[in-house]
Structures are given as C-alpha cells and as structure tokens.
Amino acid sequence: LGESLEDCVRREVREEAGIEVGGVRYAGSQHWPYPNQLMVAFKAQWTSGELKLQAEELSDARWFDPAELPSIPPPGSMAYRLIHGLI
C-alpha cells in the first residue's frame, strides 16, 4: 500500500519544517508553471513543534499575524485563495 496525500503532507511538513500537523484536508489543485506538473493544496492545523527547516528543501518559514502579512501571491492563485480562506 502507498502513502495517502494527507499522510504525505504530514510527513513532508515534519521532515522539511520540523512541525507536526493534524486535521489535514484537501483544499484544491491547479496547474504548476512547469510542464506536466500539478500543484495540490491542503489545509492543516499545527499540533506541535517549533520551526526547524531542512535547509536542502526550505530557505525560510515564519509565522505571521494575519494583520501583518508580507507580500502575498496575486488574486487567482491557489496560495492567495488559501491565505484568504476562499478555499
């Protein structure tokens, strides 16, 4: 048996960001800007741990107060829709 997408999210977040997440649920998908690729979005809840990045995979990760967000992706992008609770 293989790994579900939800299990993959939990594992990848643990390995790459050092935190545990639960309540993982599918939020949507869209094409990726590279040929023949698909971007899949999930929502999850932080359950434990402190950010500790796997340097080969992530160069930065931070928590933000919703009122103090940095520049975010443009409307229409999946990231924008996730950040604004539209999906």
Side-chain angles (χ1 to χ4, degrees):
L1 290 172
E3 179 179 52
S4 71
L5 288 173
E6 293 81 2
D7 287 340
C8 179
V9 168
R10 284 185 278 276
R11 178 182 53 75
E12 289 288 333
V13 171
R14 181 183 327 105
E15 289 175 2
E16 296 180 13
I19 60 174
E20 298 291 331
V21 295
V24 178
R25 63 188 195 282
Y26 174 80
S29 64
Q30 73 179 48
H31 71 281
W32 187 253
Y34 303 103
N36 304 315
Q37 301 293 313
L38 177 68
M39 184 179 347
V40 183
F42 288 84
K43 292 183 176 185
Q45 297 292 317
W46 171 89
T47 59
S48 66
E50 298 292 328
L51 289 173
K52 183 178 178 192
L53 306 185
Q54 184 181 41
E56 307 83 45
E57 297 290 338
L58 297 173
S59 61
D60 190 21
R62 294 177 273 163
W63 301 108
F64 292 97
D65 183 290
E68 300 173 357
L69 291 176
S71 291
I72 61 172
S77 68
M78 190 164 35
Y80 179 93
R81 293 191 317 265
L82 279 167
I83 290 167
H84 288 282
L86 302 175
I87 58 174

PDB file of all heavy atoms in Angstrom, residues 63-81:
ATOM      1  N   TRP A  63       5.909  32.379  10.986  1.00  0.00           N
ATOM      2  CA  TRP A  63       4.507  32.555  11.349  1.00  0.00           C
ATOM      3  C   TRP A  63       4.178  34.042  11.226  1.00  0.00           C
ATOM      4  O   TRP A  63       4.993  34.889  11.569  1.00  0.00           O
ATOM      5  CB  TRP A  63       4.253  32.107  12.787  1.00  0.00           C
ATOM      6  CG  TRP A  63       4.594  30.668  13.056  1.00  0.00           C
ATOM      7  CD1 TRP A  63       5.649  30.203  13.784  1.00  0.00           C
ATOM      8  CD2 TRP A  63       3.874  29.511  12.618  1.00  0.00           C
ATOM      9  NE1 TRP A  63       5.635  28.837  13.817  1.00  0.00           N
ATOM     10  CE2 TRP A  63       4.546  28.384  13.107  1.00  0.00           C
ATOM     11  CE3 TRP A  63       2.725  29.321  11.846  1.00  0.00           C
ATOM     12  CZ2 TRP A  63       4.114  27.084  12.875  1.00  0.00           C
ATOM     13  CZ3 TRP A  63       2.295  28.023  11.615  1.00  0.00           C
ATOM     14  CH2 TRP A  63       2.984  26.928  12.124  1.00  0.00           C
ATOM     15  N   PHE A  64       2.978  34.362  10.761  1.00  0.00           N
ATOM     16  CA  PHE A  64       2.559  35.754  10.605  1.00  0.00           C
ATOM     17  C   PHE A  64       1.205  35.990  11.233  1.00  0.00           C
ATOM     18  O   PHE A  64       0.297  35.161  11.105  1.00  0.00           O
ATOM     19  CB  PHE A  64       2.454  36.138   9.120  1.00  0.00           C
ATOM     20  CG  PHE A  64       3.767  36.178   8.414  1.00  0.00           C
ATOM     21  CD1 PHE A  64       4.200  35.096   7.677  1.00  0.00           C
ATOM     22  CD2 PHE A  64       4.578  37.297   8.490  1.00  0.00           C
ATOM     23  CE1 PHE A  64       5.415  35.114   7.022  1.00  0.00           C
ATOM     24  CE2 PHE A  64       5.799  37.333   7.841  1.00  0.00           C
ATOM     25  CZ  PHE A  64       6.213  36.240   7.106  1.00  0.00           C
ATOM     26  N   ASP A  65       1.063  37.128  11.877  1.00  0.00           N
ATOM     27  CA  ASP A  65      -0.246  37.606  12.299  1.00  0.00           C
ATOM     28  C   ASP A  65      -0.997  37.979  11.023  1.00  0.00           C
ATOM     29  O   ASP A  65      -0.412  38.599  10.130  1.00  0.00           O
ATOM     30  CB  ASP A  65      -0.070  38.836  13.199  1.00  0.00           C
ATOM     31  CG  ASP A  65      -1.388  39.338  13.719  1.00  0.00           C
ATOM     32  OD1 ASP A  65      -2.165  39.883  12.901  1.00  0.00           O
ATOM     33  OD2 ASP A  65      -1.628  39.225  14.922  1.00  0.00           O
ATOM     34  N   PRO A  66      -2.260  37.615  10.896  1.00  0.00           N
ATOM     35  CA  PRO A  66      -2.997  37.952   9.666  1.00  0.00           C
ATOM     36  C   PRO A  66      -2.981  39.435   9.318  1.00  0.00           C
ATOM     37  O   PRO A  66      -3.031  39.799   8.143  1.00  0.00           O
ATOM     38  CB  PRO A  66      -4.417  37.471   9.958  1.00  0.00           C
ATOM     39  CG  PRO A  66      -4.246  36.385  10.965  1.00  0.00           C
ATOM     40  CD  PRO A  66      -3.070  36.813  11.806  1.00  0.00           C
ATOM     41  N   ALA A  67      -2.867  40.283  10.315  1.00  0.00           N
ATOM     42  CA  ALA A  67      -2.846  41.729  10.060  1.00  0.00           C
ATOM     43  C   ALA A  67      -1.479  42.216   9.596  1.00  0.00           C
ATOM     44  O   ALA A  67      -1.335  43.368   9.196  1.00  0.00           O
ATOM     45  CB  ALA A  67      -3.271  42.487  11.315  1.00  0.00           C
ATOM     46  N   GLU A  68      -0.468  41.357   9.646  1.00  0.00           N
ATOM     47  CA  GLU A  68       0.899  41.761   9.314  1.00  0.00           C
ATOM     48  C   GLU A  68       1.531  40.865   8.249  1.00  0.00           C
ATOM     49  O   GLU A  68       2.725  40.588   8.295  1.00  0.00           O
ATOM     50  CB  GLU A  68       1.748  41.767  10.584  1.00  0.00           C
ATOM     51  CG  GLU A  68       1.235  42.728  11.641  1.00  0.00           C
ATOM     52  CD  GLU A  68       1.970  42.613  12.954  1.00  0.00           C
ATOM     53  OE1 GLU A  68       2.858  41.751  13.088  1.00  0.00           O
ATOM     54  OE2 GLU A  68       1.634  43.378  13.862  1.00  0.00           O
ATOM     55  N   LEU A  69       0.741  40.444   7.275  1.00  0.00           N
ATOM     56  CA  LEU A  69       1.261  39.578   6.226  1.00  0.00           C
ATOM     57  C   LEU A  69       2.233  40.321   5.316  1.00  0.00           C
ATOM     58  O   LEU A  69       2.019  41.494   5.012  1.00  0.00           O
ATOM     59  CB  LEU A  69       0.123  39.032   5.369  1.00  0.00           C
ATOM     60  CG  LEU A  69      -0.819  38.041   6.024  1.00  0.00           C
ATOM     61  CD1 LEU A  69      -1.954  37.682   5.070  1.00  0.00           C
ATOM     62  CD2 LEU A  69      -0.079  36.789   6.453  1.00  0.00           C
ATOM     63  N   PRO A  70       3.270  39.647   4.853  1.00  0.00           N
ATOM     64  CA  PRO A  70       4.162  40.241   3.847  1.00  0.00           C
ATOM     65  C   PRO A  70       3.449  40.217   2.493  1.00  0.00           C
ATOM     66  O   PRO A  70       2.279  39.812   2.399  1.00  0.00           O
ATOM     67  CB  PRO A  70       5.363  39.301   3.855  1.00  0.00           C
ATOM     68  CG  PRO A  70       4.779  37.988   4.246  1.00  0.00           C
ATOM     69  CD  PRO A  70       3.676  38.305   5.227  1.00  0.00           C
ATOM     70  N   SER A  71       4.119  40.594   1.431  1.00  0.00           N
ATOM     71  CA  SER A  71       3.531  40.485   0.101  1.00  0.00           C
ATOM     72  C   SER A  71       3.086  39.050  -0.126  1.00  0.00           C
ATOM     73  O   SER A  71       3.795  38.105   0.225  1.00  0.00           O
ATOM     74  CB  SER A  71       4.557  40.858  -0.969  1.00  0.00           C
ATOM     75  OG  SER A  71       4.844  42.216  -0.913  1.00  0.00           O
ATOM     76  N   ILE A  72       1.912  38.911  -0.692  1.00  0.00           N
ATOM     77  CA  ILE A  72       1.383  37.574  -0.933  1.00  0.00           C
ATOM     78  C   ILE A  72       1.132  37.394  -2.425  1.00  0.00           C
ATOM     79  O   ILE A  72       1.113  38.368  -3.175  1.00  0.00           O
ATOM     80  CB  ILE A  72       0.100  37.331  -0.117  1.00  0.00           C
ATOM     81  CG1 ILE A  72      -0.992  38.335  -0.503  1.00  0.00           C
ATOM     82  CG2 ILE A  72       0.382  37.399   1.381  1.00  0.00           C
ATOM     83  CD1 ILE A  72      -2.335  38.039   0.116  1.00  0.00           C
ATOM     84  N   PRO A  73       0.953  36.152  -2.853  1.00  0.00           N
ATOM     85  CA  PRO A  73       0.686  35.894  -4.277  1.00  0.00           C
ATOM     86  C   PRO A  73      -0.570  36.638  -4.748  1.00  0.00           C
ATOM     87  O   PRO A  73      -1.426  36.997  -3.937  1.00  0.00           O
ATOM     88  CB  PRO A  73       0.498  34.382  -4.326  1.00  0.00           C
ATOM     89  CG  PRO A  73       1.242  33.880  -3.141  1.00  0.00           C
ATOM     90  CD  PRO A  73       1.056  34.924  -2.084  1.00  0.00           C
ATOM     91  N   PRO A  74      -0.699  36.832  -6.045  1.00  0.00           N
ATOM     92  CA  PRO A  74      -1.814  37.617  -6.585  1.00  0.00           C
ATOM     93  C   PRO A  74      -3.156  36.891  -6.516  1.00  0.00           C
ATOM     94  O   PRO A  74      -3.195  35.654  -6.448  1.00  0.00           O
ATOM     95  CB  PRO A  74      -1.407  37.858  -8.037  1.00  0.00           C
ATOM     96  CG  PRO A  74      -0.531  36.702  -8.376  1.00  0.00           C
ATOM     97  CD  PRO A  74       0.201  36.378  -7.103  1.00  0.00           C
ATOM     98  N   PRO A  75      -4.261  37.653  -6.572  1.00  0.00           N
ATOM     99  CA  PRO A  75      -5.580  37.029  -6.647  1.00  0.00           C
ATOM    100  C   PRO A  75      -5.633  36.049  -7.817  1.00  0.00           C
ATOM    101  O   PRO A  75      -4.989  36.244  -8.844  1.00  0.00           O
ATOM    102  CB  PRO A  75      -6.521  38.213  -6.892  1.00  0.00           C
ATOM    103  CG  PRO A  75      -5.801  39.385  -6.312  1.00  0.00           C
ATOM    104  CD  PRO A  75      -4.337  39.116  -6.579  1.00  0.00           C
ATOM    105  N   GLY A  76      -6.386  34.996  -7.634  1.00  0.00           N
ATOM    106  CA  GLY A  76      -6.480  33.968  -8.657  1.00  0.00           C
ATOM    107  C   GLY A  76      -5.562  32.796  -8.393  1.00  0.00           C
ATOM    108  O   GLY A  76      -5.818  31.697  -8.866  1.00  0.00           O
ATOM    109  N   SER A  77      -4.496  33.014  -7.641  1.00  0.00           N
ATOM    110  CA  SER A  77      -3.583  31.906  -7.333  1.00  0.00           C
ATOM    111  C   SER A  77      -4.152  31.093  -6.168  1.00  0.00           C
ATOM    112  O   SER A  77      -4.908  31.594  -5.333  1.00  0.00           O
ATOM    113  CB  SER A  77      -2.192  32.427  -6.974  1.00  0.00           C
ATOM    114  OG  SER A  77      -2.227  33.115  -5.743  1.00  0.00           O
ATOM    115  N   MET A  78      -3.783  29.836  -6.120  1.00  0.00           N
ATOM    116  CA  MET A  78      -4.238  28.976  -5.039  1.00  0.00           C
ATOM    117  C   MET A  78      -3.711  29.476  -3.694  1.00  0.00           C
ATOM    118  O   MET A  78      -4.433  29.451  -2.702  1.00  0.00           O
ATOM    119  CB  MET A  78      -3.785  27.549  -5.299  1.00  0.00           C
ATOM    120  CG  MET A  78      -4.426  26.576  -4.360  1.00  0.00           C
ATOM    121  SD  MET A  78      -4.324  24.850  -4.848  1.00  0.00           S
ATOM    122  CE  MET A  78      -2.754  24.720  -5.622  1.00  0.00           C
ATOM    123  N   ALA A  79      -2.470  29.956  -3.657  1.00  0.00           N
ATOM    124  CA  ALA A  79      -1.909  30.469  -2.405  1.00  0.00           C
ATOM    125  C   ALA A  79      -2.731  31.643  -1.890  1.00  0.00           C
ATOM    126  O   ALA A  79      -3.031  31.727  -0.697  1.00  0.00           O
ATOM    127  CB  ALA A  79      -0.451  30.879  -2.617  1.00  0.00           C
ATOM    128  N   TYR A  80      -3.132  32.556  -2.771  1.00  0.00           N
ATOM    129  CA  TYR A  80      -3.950  33.693  -2.374  1.00  0.00           C
ATOM    130  C   TYR A  80      -5.281  33.196  -1.790  1.00  0.00           C
ATOM    131  O   TYR A  80      -5.724  33.662  -0.741  1.00  0.00           O
ATOM    132  CB  TYR A  80      -4.212  34.588  -3.592  1.00  0.00           C
ATOM    133  CG  TYR A  80      -5.075  35.790  -3.289  1.00  0.00           C
ATOM    134  CD1 TYR A  80      -4.489  37.009  -2.947  1.00  0.00           C
ATOM    135  CD2 TYR A  80      -6.463  35.723  -3.370  1.00  0.00           C
ATOM    136  CE1 TYR A  80      -5.264  38.123  -2.694  1.00  0.00           C
ATOM    137  CE2 TYR A  80      -7.250  36.829  -3.097  1.00  0.00           C
ATOM    138  CZ  TYR A  80      -6.649  38.023  -2.758  1.00  0.00           C
ATOM    139  OH  TYR A  80      -7.432  39.132  -2.475  1.00  0.00           O
ATOM    140  N   ARG A  81      -5.896  32.240  -2.475  1.00  0.00           N
ATOM    141  CA  ARG A  81      -7.184  31.720  -2.010  1.00  0.00           C
ATOM    142  C   ARG A  81      -7.042  31.010  -0.652  1.00  0.00           C
ATOM    143  O   ARG A  81      -7.904  31.156   0.222  1.00  0.00           O
ATOM    144  CB  ARG A  81      -7.783  30.785  -3.050  1.00  0.00           C
ATOM    145  CG  ARG A  81      -8.166  31.536  -4.327  1.00  0.00           C
ATOM    146  CD  ARG A  81      -9.002  30.734  -5.304  1.00  0.00           C
ATOM    147  NE  ARG A  81      -8.599  29.364  -5.530  1.00  0.00           N
ATOM    148  CZ  ARG A  81      -7.807  28.948  -6.523  1.00  0.00           C
ATOM    149  NH1 ARG A  81      -7.325  29.811  -7.404  1.00  0.00           N
ATOM    150  NH2 ARG A  81      -7.520  27.666  -6.658  1.00  0.00           N
TER     151      ARG A  81
END
